[in-house]
Amino acid sequence: MNMGGGAAGDSTATSAVSQLTHTMWQRYQHFLDKSTPLVLYRWIFLLVIAFIYAVRMYVVQGYYIVTYGLGIYILQLLIAFLSPQIDPEIQEVTDGPALPTRGSDEFRPFVRRLPEFKFWHSLTKGFCFAFMLTFFSAFDVPVFWPILLFYWFVLFISTMKRQIMHMIKYKYVPFTFGKQRYSGKKATPTDDTDTTRP
């Protein structure tokens, strides 16, 4: 009995699957690279996916645990999006203050813990994953959804309150609206008609 032929066939099949997976991953990465500068279109795409998910939830009238988990995931991503990359509370203990607290301090741009693109990408993957879970009845756990909704709102309010207090304490704003433009120093007008000279 020749067992060697089967092993060669398995390695060929594994190689083909590996190559197909690699090709699909490259195409997906190419799509992500092309979509990076298209901020508005990416967020519109996410809104369409979120709308499709909401319609699916309305039609099936279930999977509240999946939606609750998605809500917690969104809240966690939002907090990371609004937080600085280096927490000033921790850095203050080790190195001293990092964010400028006075007008004379050096300007340091706000660097997010979770950049905008990764925020969008994680939200999109989260909605797609939750949408896929709604096709498996094992995740349709019977619960009283108003309690989950109330608990999510309590979590959202308490977490955002803590985040806003952190922003106020360390004087940072996580949003910038375009590139700041400087017009330079304005020349002060001089009075050439000095009447004190003879």
Side-chain angles (χ1 to χ4, degrees):
M1 207 174 209
N2 187 359
M3 299 298 279
D10 288 345
S11 67
T12 306
T14 305
S15 174
V17 169
S18 174
Q19 188 170 358
L20 179 66
T21 306
H22 181 69
T23 303
M24 287 175 55
W25 178 256
Q26 280 183 329
R27 287 184 181 167
Y28 177 69
Q29 191 62 46
H30 179 73
F31 168 74
L32 288 179
D33 293 343
K34 288 287 190 183
S35 69
T36 302
L38 308 172
V39 178
L40 180 63
Y41 295 118
R42 282 191 285 116
W43 285 97
I44 290 173
F45 177 71
L46 177 63
L47 287 176
V48 169
I49 290 176
F51 178 74
I52 291 170
Y53 180 78
V55 168
R56 170 82 177 145
M57 290 295 94
Y58 179 75
V59 169
V60 297
Q61 294 290 315
Y63 297 95
Y64 302 118
I65 292 292
V66 173
T67 304
Y68 177 72
L70 177 64
I72 296 296
Y73 182 65
I74 291 170
L75 183 61
Q76 180 255 338
L77 290 175
L78 181 64
I79 294 302
F81 179 70
L82 296 176
S83 299
Q85 186 176 25
I86 300 170
D87 191 0
E89 202 165 43
I90 295 170
Q91 189 168 15
E92 188 176 77
V93 173
T94 58
D95 300 337
L99 292 173
T101 55
R102 294 183 300 273
S104 62
D105 286 351
E106 177 187 346
F107 171 74
R108 294 186 184 122
F110 183 79
V111 179
R112 300 178 188 286
R113 186 183 315 162
L114 182 67
E116 181 269 336
F117 181 80
K118 288 186 179 180
F119 180 52
W120 168 83
H121 190 233
S122 298
L123 282 174
T124 305
K125 288 190 302 188
F127 272 103
C128 290
F129 184 70
F131 184 77
M132 296 304 289
L133 289 180
T134 62
F135 291 100
F136 299 100
S137 61
F139 297 105
D140 191 11
V141 180
V143 292
F144 188 59
W145 67 266
I147 290 178
L148 289 179
L149 184 64
F150 175 74
Y151 186 59
W152 186 85
F153 274 118
V154 168
L155 280 175
F156 178 78
I157 290 168
S158 64
T159 313
M160 290 310 292
K161 179 182 176 187
R162 188 181 69 211
Q163 186 67 30
I164 290 170
M165 296 304 288
H166 192 266
M167 289 179 198
I168 291 170
K169 181 178 180 182
Y170 292 102
K171 297 179 176 90
Y172 68 90
V173 179
F175 301 106
T176 55
F177 301 102
K179 186 176 178 181
Q180 197 171 17
R181 302 195 191 289
Y182 297 99
S183 59
K185 253 186 177 178
K186 292 186 178 180
T188 56
T190 56
D191 191 9
D192 290 337
T193 57
D194 191 357
T195 56
T196 57
R197 282 197 223 162

